[in-house]
Amino acid sequence: MIKLFQDELPFDIDLPFFAHKKYLSSKSKNYGWFVSDDFILSFIIYKKNIFKRLVFTTGAIERKTSNIEEEKNFLNEIISYVKIHKICDFIHKPQPSAIFRTYPDNCDSFRWGTYKIDIEENFENMLKKLNSSQRNYVRSAIKDDVKIINTDNFDKIYTFCNETLSRQKIPLLISREEFQKQYDTFYPQNMLMFKALYKNELQGSLVVFFDNNLAFAEYAGSLLKPRHGSLKLLHLTAMQYLAKEHGITNYDFIGAIPDIKDGCKEAGIQKFKKEFGAELMEGYQFTAVINPIKYFFFDLCLKVSFMMKGIRYVDPTQRYKNLSKTNLKI
């Protein structure tokens, strides 16, 4: 039986970072958890004018060992609960870090993945996971005195990351208000920022969220043509620091299309992640339209809004499907 809790959970449990109250409340005033005897699933709700969209922030979190059929039943119960109680107008694409083992019935379900890697304090051991040419680039960057620095200059990092997204023609930029709130809430206990400098010029930036076990490469920025090896060095140094100073053992690059088309920009980004020796973890995501009329007008409003800015808006789910060789079909 599904229960809905908002603001607080009535019991203590060690939740992953993206399911913590302090993270959820940094994204929206409306958040909560669907809870059964076997699972917990965290969500946020964005309210804009007459529209309410729900976004899951994690996959199903097990309270006890369970099988895939039990997870599917849990997700089906959530969809029914949302429809009966009119929790939202539609369930939008989950956050990139959310990966499910299965998916509910009668939803737009699709394949999804992420690249993860085990990390440690020993820099050389992590460097060995790269192929010889990439290792040489990193060593060359070190020799050329590329500096990786922890920074608290959130304004500079925010601007640099957003400039990178804009250059890549990604329409949904990072909200400054949200980034400011996350910095105020998480830094430095659960959020760190790193930058790579070459001859005092910023080559790349990295914002990492982390809990007791796992770190997430949440935001990143780079020059159009950064110094060879500087971005790999940036991530490797961040990994080493997280392992040494915080005991983190696993690093998540967040989000991947399992069968991405060759030659596109996003394929190059995923190749960059894979080159660290990261493993592709595959699963599923899903969306669901509860109120078709409201969803139609929400999508139309977004398209018109972006068109007025000279940007062609494509729904995130469709955008990723367009980059997949199989349209992310299951």
Side-chain angles (χ1 to χ4, degrees), residues 273-324:
K273 299 173 181 180
K274 185 178 180 180
E275 286 172 343
F276 285 92
E279 181 181 359
L280 179 63
M281 314 296 293
E282 293 192 51
Y284 306 96
Q285 287 192 344
F286 58 89
T287 64
V289 175
I290 311 300
N291 186 321
I293 294 176
K294 281 193 175 183
Y295 177 75
F296 171 81
F297 282 107
F298 172 82
D299 188 62
L300 180 62
C301 287
L302 274 180
K303 288 178 179 177
V304 171
S305 175
F306 279 103
M307 183 176 64
M308 293 176 67
K309 300 175 185 177
I311 301 171
R312 179 175 177 269
Y313 173 78
V314 179
D315 177 84
T317 300
Q318 188 58 52
R319 178 174 176 272
Y320 289 122
K321 286 183 175 181
N322 292 343
L323 292 169
S324 163

Side-chain angles (χ1 to χ4, degrees), residues 157-278:
I157 297 300
Y158 165 81
T159 301
F160 194 69
C161 289
N162 253 3
E163 286 174 350
T164 302
L165 292 174
S166 180
R167 187 181 69 239
Q168 294 172 344
K169 302 188 184 305
I170 296 176
L172 299 178
L173 303 182
I174 306 165
S175 161
R176 182 180 179 82
E177 180 182 358
E178 181 180 298
F179 190 85
Q180 173 79 65
K181 188 171 184 179
Q182 290 175 338
Y183 176 82
D184 293 340
T185 304
F186 306 137
Y187 186 86
Q189 291 82 10
N190 299 103
M191 174 184 181
L192 290 171
M193 299 183 295
F194 301 86
K195 61 183 180 180
L197 296 176
Y198 176 58
K199 294 183 178 180
N200 290 322
E201 183 181 13
L202 185 58
Q203 305 295 301
S205 62
L206 176 64
V207 179
V208 179
F209 291 161
F210 61 96
D211 53 28
N212 293 331
N213 304 301
L214 185 59
F216 303 87
E218 180 71 3
Y219 307 123
S222 71
L223 288 180
L224 181 60
K225 294 183 178 181
R227 176 72 177 86
H228 278 314
S230 61
L231 301 186
K232 286 285 196 314
L233 180 61
L234 174 64
H235 282 270
L236 286 170
T237 304
M239 292 176 192
Q240 181 188 37
Y241 183 91
L242 289 160
K244 183 177 180 180
E245 301 298 329
H246 297 279
I248 305 299
T249 57
N250 199 266
Y251 188 85
D252 189 337
F253 284 99
I254 301 187
I257 299 168
D259 62 340
I260 195 163
K261 292 178 180 177
D262 298 330
C264 64
K265 172 181 74 271
E266 290 79 2
I269 295 172
Q270 290 193 189
K271 179 176 178 290
F272 174 87
K273 299 173 181 180
K274 185 178 180 180
E275 286 172 343
F276 285 92

Side-chain angles (χ1 to χ4, degrees), residues 1 3 5 9-13 15 34-41 60-66 74:
M1 181 178 182
K3 292 182 180 180
F5 295 99
L9 281 171
F11 50 83
D12 290 328
I13 185 171
L15 293 170
F34 292 107
V35 179
S36 71
D37 290 339
D38 299 325
F39 300 98
I40 297 174
L41 183 54
I61 302 162
E62 290 183 281
R63 300 182 68 184
K64 59 184 181 182
T65 303
S66 61
F74 172 68

